[in-house]
Amino acid sequence: MGPILIVMENGASGFVDSSKELITKGREIAKNLEISSIAVGFGQDAESQLKNLPVDRVIAITNPELSQYHPLAYEKTLSEIVKKEEPYLTLVANTTMGMDLGAGVASSVSLPLIAYCNQVAIAGQEVVATSSVFAGKLMAEIVVPKSGAVLTVMPGAWSATEDSGSPQVDVLSVDIPPSMRILRTIEPEKSDVDITKADILISVGRGIEGPENLTLAEELAEAIGGVVSCSRPVVDAGWLPKSRQVGKSGQTVKPKLYMAFGISGAPEHQQGMKDADLIIAVNTDENASIMDIAHFGTTVDMLELMPALTERLRGE
Amino acid sequence: MHIAVLMKSVPDLVEDIALDEHEGQILFDEMSYVPSEWDDQALEEALVIKEESGAEVTAVSIETQDSDNLLFTALAKGSDNAVKLVGDFDLSLTNRQRAQIFADYLHKQPFDLILSGVQAIDDVDGQIPGLVAGIMGWPHASVVTEVRVKDQGIILRQEYAGGLVAEIESSTPVVVGIQAARKPPRYASIAKVRQVAKSRQIEEVEVPLSNVPALTVRRFYKPVASAHAEMVDGDVEDVAARIAEILQERNLLRR
Ligand SMILES: Cc1cc2nc3c(=O)[nH]c(=O)nc-3n(C[C@H](O)[C@H](O)[C@H](O)COP(=O)(O)OP(=O)(O)OC[C@H]3O[C@@H](n4cnc5c(N)ncnc54)[C@H](O)[C@@H]3O)c2cc1C
């Protein structure tokens, strides 16, 4: 059986948490299956960041340009490594980078892909992966084929420990294909409010129906001393700026109170808010996924509840 | 620029997913289907590119229950052509099979740019853009929010956590997974779709079903939530009163 190959993703400082989670879990699986573990990292700091990871071997791709994700160069490089090392499992975090990379690598090396994975268990001779699909409404239990697979793993599926080790270090640099070129990176626009710093978030989703109803949320936020945040569709529709978006492709928040109005609780949204101290969900659908992580829920119409609550809080 | 938009329908999550809980298998024929929302975004971005810099847009779907409606809607919205890939297919096709079917068709066509949704709710074995690109050996980028034509190639914007964006130049042919179009998807009225269904044709292309790497899903099951919210019942005023009380108890109200 081939090794476990873990793909590390660069963040603003060091590897992102979801990659560290893969190291911890990957090592545990490797130990149980008595196979070796390899981590791959990219960019000018790759070698220094990889060399203390608790794995058997690391491969540092040290081209400075690759500190930044380059879809084509990452895919080509990783596909080559997979062909050479023939790993049993290739683990990539299901971040926006991992979603891009995982499917491309799996199909270019003709391996199956198991996406949205949030559990891997070893049962006798079998390795069983569990994935969350249909916006979190179903789980799929999949037997990992003996011939291997690429797994994209949900961030937060496992917790990371800060162990270290002294792996064998391989350093290489690769040719960057000229057909794709990173022109620049753009930081999100700075805004007046930083939702990651707020204690109370009044968060609105598609249930807000239109920009004309946003004043209801703003008035409530003002009455309670919080700020307005939102789900992705509200940003995509242009009703609120990107800086207010909670979730996978937005901000991760951990306020004392998160009130979700008209938000279904898709996995990509939950990823950004599930650790809030108190979650209150207002959703006409009692079976919406948000109810599974909320502490309190109600199915009244948010457009009626927001003004009623504002009035009550102002009166107190 | 010739653009193909790869589209499919997915079970409507407004209804319960039909599941044989004993066998752990999805009952695909017992659900209603809606266009995958991200494929809709991909079509919109293609139509925006067409309006901006001129392009020929072809909507492509695989024949399963709802594909005609999907394709006529794409025509009604402004797609120039609609292609239905026909063969021995049913609703239980895996995404890997779909990707192979799309790739088998695309290989023989002169497309420069392939757009599809960044993901779909049922793509447990991978997302279409990356899978198709990997099979074709073409470059790809996913989680993209903007594609513009520049000279012979394109400039796209790829998104990462925290709203960080990279602007990437790519030559064509290239496959792009669309997260969100620059504008909310346009709407085509039922009347317009009906009219298009009478006046326009969907081109049918036969494609074989080849062997692809497969996953064995031992069972699908509904997650047992570790907890469920404590429900606050009553009319709006009752609920507002109870929520105020909860906030008060937890010292979350400023005085
Ligand atoms: C790569 C990727 C990254 C993503 N990143 C993010 C992200 O960062 N953040 C994010 O939020 N999403 C993200 N998404 C999108 C995510 O998958 C969902 O599409 C999105 O979270 C859904 O938003 P929503 O809950 O507002 O809308 P919906 O899912 O449409 O839910 C609306 C809810 O409102 C309820 N409702 C309607 N009317 C009322 C009413 N009057 N009163 C009460 N309830 C009502 C409905 O019952 C429904 O549950 C991402 C997707 C992808 C593929």
Side-chain angles (χ1 to χ4, degrees), chain A residues 9 68-69 71-72 75-76 94-97 99-101 103-116 119 126 128 130-131 133-143 145 149 152 179-188 199-200 206 221-225 232-233 236-237 242 245 247-251 256-257 259 268 278 280 282-283 286-288 290-301 304-305 308-309 311-313 316, chain B residues 11 13-17 19 26 28 31 37-38 41 96 118-135 137-143 145 150 155-171 174-175 179-184 213-248 250 252-255:
Chain A
E9 176 173 350
Q68 155 79 25
Y69 177 56
L72 188 56
E75 188 201 302
K76 285 237 175 315
N94 192 67
T95 55
T96 63
M97 175 190 112
M99 287 178 75
D100 194 19
L101 192 56
V105 169
S107 76
S108 66
V109 301
S110 288
L111 278 176
L113 174 77
I114 304 177
Y116 317 102
Q119 221 172 294
E126 280 184 341
V128 179
T130 306
S131 292
V133 280
F134 292 98
K137 295 202 166 196
L138 278 192
M139 306 301 281
E141 204 174 85
I142 299 154
V143 182
T152 55
S179 53
M180 231 185 221
R181 211 154 55 87
I182 315 285
L183 301 178
R184 58 177 178 146
T185 51
I186 308 162
E187 295 283 340
D199 280 340
I200 297 181
R206 221 177 239 155
E222 197 186 288
I224 199 171
R232 168 139 204 155
D236 287 339
K242 184 81 185 172
Q245 182 190 319
K248 186 189 194 80
S249 50
Q251 305 295 329
K256 291 191 175 126
L257 170 63
M259 291 194 77
E268 296 86 2
L278 179 65
I280 301 182
V282 182
N283 196 311
E286 188 177 354
N287 295 321
I290 192 82
M291 294 299 181
D292 296 339
I293 59 159
H295 303 94
F296 294 94
T298 180
T299 55
V300 296
D301 187 333
E304 290 175 25
L305 181 63
L309 192 56
E311 208 169 288
R312 192 163 289 269
L313 296 180
E316 279 186 11
Chain B
L13 288 187
V14 167
E15 294 167 21
D16 272 345
I17 296 169
L19 184 71
I26 298 175
F28 291 99
M31 292 185 284
E37 63 172 283
W38 292 284
Q41 299 280 353
R96 193 60 166 258
V118 56
Q119 67 175 38
I121 54 170
D122 59 353
D123 50 11
V124 64
D125 65 342
Q127 300 82 6
I128 286 291
L131 293 179
V132 168
I135 296 169
W138 286 7
H140 69 98
S142 208
V143 201
T145 53
K150 189 183 169 236
I155 293 185
L156 59 86
R157 288 188 168 201
Q158 183 171 52
E159 243 189 74
Y160 312 105
L164 190 71
V165 170
E167 205 167 70
I168 300 176
E169 187 173 43
S170 175
S171 61
V174 60
V175 184
Q179 157 79 56
R182 274 174 276 165
K183 299 195 318 192
L215 288 183
T216 318
V217 178
R218 194 149 66 180
R219 64 175 182 129
F220 285 99
Y221 62 94
K222 296 193 173 151
V224 206
S226 50
H228 190 271
E230 179 182 328
M231 297 308 287
V232 178
D233 299 322
D235 66 15
V236 168
E237 288 305 327
D238 298 337
V239 171
R242 176 70 186 119
I243 290 177
E245 208 174 88
I246 293 167
L247 301 182
Q248 181 83 58
R250 282 154 211 258
L252 286 165
L253 294 185
R254 41 174 193 196
R255 310 228 118 241

Side-chain angles (χ1 to χ4, degrees), chain A residues 9-44:
Chain A
E9 176 173 350
N10 296 329
S13 55
F15 295 129
V16 298
D17 288 349
S18 46
S19 295
K20 295 181 193 157
E21 292 159 15
L22 299 182
I23 292 285
T24 305
K25 184 71 177 186
R27 196 170 147 228
E28 178 196 311
I29 301 171
K31 206 168 145 199
N32 281 323
L33 294 175
E34 296 175 357
I35 56 180
S36 68
S37 53
I38 307 176
V40 185
F42 295 84
Q44 58 194 2

Side-chain angles (χ1 to χ4, degrees), chain B residues 178-192:
Chain B
I178 297 291
Q179 157 79 56
R182 274 174 276 165
K183 299 195 318 192
R186 65 199 66 193
Y187 176 76
S189 68
I190 294 175
K192 178 96 191 274

Side-chain angles (χ1 to χ4, degrees), chain A residues 19-96:
Chain A
S19 295
K20 295 181 193 157
E21 292 159 15
L22 299 182
I23 292 285
T24 305
K25 184 71 177 186
R27 196 170 147 228
E28 178 196 311
I29 301 171
K31 206 168 145 199
N32 281 323
L33 294 175
E34 296 175 357
I35 56 180
S36 68
S37 53
I38 307 176
V40 185
F42 295 84
Q44 58 194 2
D45 301 330
E47 187 181 353
S48 61
Q49 285 182 30
L50 288 165
K51 71 172 197 279
N52 295 321
L53 288 180
V55 290
D56 298 312
R57 209 177 120 207
V58 297
I59 304 175
I61 319 294
T62 50
N63 304 55
E65 306 92 305
L66 297 184
S67 297
Q68 155 79 25
Y69 177 56
H70 182 298
L72 188 56
Y74 271 51
E75 188 201 302
K76 285 237 175 315
T77 307
L78 202 58
S79 298
E80 286 308 316
I81 294 175
V82 170
K83 277 186 210 148
K84 178 153 176 273
E85 307 292 339
E86 300 186 342
Y88 171 51
L89 298 179
T90 301
L91 303 182
V92 191
N94 192 67
T95 55
T96 63

Side-chain angles (χ1 to χ4, degrees), chain B residues 193-214:
Chain B
V193 176
R194 280 215 190 103
Q195 184 209 329
V196 164
K198 281 196 199 115
S199 59
R200 304 278 301 274
Q201 290 285 318
I202 292 173
E203 186 193 340
E204 294 192 7
V205 177
E206 202 150 333
V207 182
L209 184 58
S210 355
N211 270 334
V212 296

